[in-house]
Amino acid sequence: MNGLQQSPSKCLDNFQSVFKISRKTFEYICSLVKDDMMTKSAHFVFTNGKPLSLCEQVAVALRRLGSGESLVTIGDSFGLNHSTVSQVTWRFVESMEEKGIHHLRWPSTEMEMNAIKSKFEKIRGLPNCCGVIDATHITMCLPASEPSCNVWLDHKKNHSMVLQAIVDPDMKFRDIVTGWPGKMEDWLIFESSNFNKLCEKGERLNGSKLQLSGESEIREYIIGDSGYPLLPYLVVPYEGKELSEPKAQFNKQHLATRVVAQRALTRLKEMWRIIHGMMWRPDKHRLPRIILVCCVLHNIVIDLNDEVQDELSLSHDHDSGYHQLVCGAVDEKGVALRDSLSHYLTGKLSS
């Protein structure tokens, strides 16, 4: 096949349908990785000997990450050897890990955090909320002969790796953890995370408190589903069938706010389809870095106000077939915080 016949440049003509991002976003991504992609020693060429330009390399990598198609399929469609597709994609991933990581970070100023809290409060009234935590499984097809095969077997009998993310009201990822096997419970992954350790040391979720009437106050916190423990800085729903009206109402508002994380993870998998469905024998050392870069790209699309993303569906079934495991662990300060929130919301409803 002639490399020019269906070169990545040709894809740039029907741009948005192929890459699911605007040309502006594509050019910005090219600018981030330009130095790394063009100055290192490797010299990537089409099967006809023509060298790949920067745009063509980025197009190949985005096609691989965005379509989830095999190396051979992408290589054939572009006139490239499948090993070239693999090398170009990996060079792109390595570069984006470093050059794009500023798009995935915890808010660094009070002003930025206040904007997040304000947007969360506008959803369903939760005050001083700083994020929603959720997790999803990236499923893999592994050979049965692989020695570590059973390590990755989860309770659904799939081989999988977990991505745990804290999401803001704009569906941006603010903190992620990945690399753990799919059988690890959500609460154990959170417990071992750097984010949790910073919270325990008082170095995260330590900003301004909301003063209520009397001596009561509401600190900064994140929310999650029942797969997480109730902590002084992590609020989960009330458990039980016969809940009082205020508690049932709190759970409704809590759930409606959590939807942003479910939608973010769904959109991530819909847009970057390499991590959607069953991955064919991935390198488990490289996979966490590929997941991270997909999260960075997800955030870049939001940061650049890319309208193409608005055409994607807003479903929130990112983890089909996986049922909720209940953690049940409770911290007394968490109980007090949740009750204060419930009381505050009940007052707002009745006022």
Side-chain angles (χ1 to χ4, degrees):
M1 183 191 283
N2 184 317
L4 293 171
Q5 188 185 345
Q6 290 192 51
S7 77
S9 306
K10 296 286 181 194
C11 288
L12 304 187
D13 298 335
N14 55 340
F15 206 83
Q16 297 182 355
S17 62
V18 174
F19 298 110
K20 296 177 276 193
I21 57 174
S22 67
R23 190 174 290 273
K24 178 188 76 167
T25 303
F26 180 85
E27 286 168 358
Y28 172 71
I29 292 168
C30 287
S31 75
L32 286 180
V33 299
K34 180 181 177 184
D35 291 348
D36 291 337
M37 300 293 278
M38 299 311 289
T39 58
K40 286 185 181 170
S41 55
H43 180 60
F44 299 119
V45 295
F46 290 100
T47 48
N48 69 356
K50 175 185 173 284
L52 274 79
S53 68
L54 168 67
C55 282
E56 286 170 335
Q57 289 184 50
V58 173
V60 167
L62 289 178
R63 175 75 177 271
R64 170 78 173 137
L65 298 175
S67 71
E69 293 169 349
S70 72
L71 298 171
V72 173
T73 301
I74 294 168
D76 286 350
S77 68
F78 284 159
L80 291 166
N81 191 299
H82 69 88
S83 63
T84 305
V85 177
S86 176
Q87 289 166 353
V88 167
T89 304
W90 186 244
R91 160 114 28 120
F92 175 80
V93 166
E94 286 183 309
S95 181
M96 281 300 294
E97 241 183 334
E98 184 188 339
K99 300 292 168 57
I101 197 64
H102 59 282
H103 285 278
L104 200 166
R105 57 175 182 76
W106 191 251
S108 55
T109 66
E110 189 176 3
M111 196 166 141
E112 196 181 359
M113 187 56 93
N114 284 343
I116 284 173
K117 292 176 185 177
S118 174
K119 283 182 181 177
F120 269 127
E121 189 159 7
K122 281 182 183 145
I123 296 174
R124 284 301 289 274
L126 284 178
N128 231 27
C129 178
C130 300
V132 183
I133 190 168
D134 202 353
T136 196
H137 292 79
I138 315 296
T139 53
M140 309 179 279
C141 182
L142 300 181
S145 57
E146 189 174 311
S148 67
C149 184
N150 286 342
V151 171
W152 301 96
L153 206 59
D154 62 34
H155 60 272
K156 285 289 295 175
K157 299 289 183 278
N158 292 323
H159 294 104
S160 66
M161 185 178 284
V162 176
L163 162 64
Q164 181 172 274
I166 299 174
V167 179
D168 77 10
D170 295 321
M171 293 198 280
K172 274 180 65 176
F173 298 113
R174 290 296 186 162
D175 186 279
I176 71 158
V177 176
T178 190
W180 290 103
K183 63 183 171 189
M184 277 272 284
E185 285 92 349
D186 293 351
W187 64 86
L188 290 175
I189 295 172
F190 179 72
E191 208 172 74
S192 64
S193 69
N194 188 48
F195 185 92
N196 183 46
K197 287 171 183 148
L198 289 171
C199 289
E200 286 179 331
K201 288 193 280 189
E203 294 171 18
R204 179 101 354 133
L205 299 175
N206 59 350
S208 57
K209 295 177 180 177
L210 177 69
Q211 299 298 325
L212 303 179
S213 54
E215 294 185 11
S216 175
E217 59 185 16
I218 292 173
R219 60 164 294 164
E220 290 185 341
Y221 60 92
I222 60 173
I223 65 172
D225 61 29
S226 302
Y228 294 96
L230 178 61
L231 298 172
Y233 43 84
L234 171 50
V235 178
V236 301
Y238 286 102
E239 284 293 313
K241 288 193 170 70
E242 301 295 323
L243 292 176
S244 65
E245 183 53 36
K247 288 181 178 180
Q249 186 58 42
F250 173 82
N251 279 4
K252 279 183 193 167
Q253 289 167 271
H254 188 278
L255 175 61
T257 310
R258 288 205 322 268
V259 165
V260 294
Q262 296 167 359
R263 284 182 170 171
L265 289 168
T266 305
R267 176 167 284 178
L268 174 77
K269 285 183 167 183
E270 280 186 359
M271 196 153 177
W272 306 104
R273 296 188 76 83
I274 192 167
I275 57 172
H276 184 282
M278 194 76 70
M279 288 188 77
W280 178 254
R281 299 187 178 184
D283 179 328
K284 268 94 57 222
H285 300 293
R286 289 186 169 189
L287 182 53
R289 297 168 71 182
I290 289 169
I291 295 168
L292 166 63
V293 166
C294 289
C295 292
V296 167
L297 290 166
H298 167 101
N299 281 5
I300 286 173
V301 168
I302 295 170
D303 284 340
L304 268 62
N305 296 312
D306 193 324
E307 278 107 37
V308 180
Q309 63 153 353
D310 295 332
E311 295 162 20
L312 289 169
S313 77
L314 278 181
S315 81
H316 37 84
D317 183 15
H318 59 81
D319 222 12
S320 186
Y322 285 88
H323 60 275
Q324 179 67 66
L325 298 173
V326 176
C327 173
V330 169
D331 179 284
E332 282 180 21
K333 286 184 180 172
V335 172
L337 172 59
R338 184 171 63 185
D339 287 346
S340 291
L341 282 167
S342 177
H343 185 72
Y344 171 83
L345 292 172
T346 303
K348 293 274 278 192
L349 280 171
S350 58
S351 62

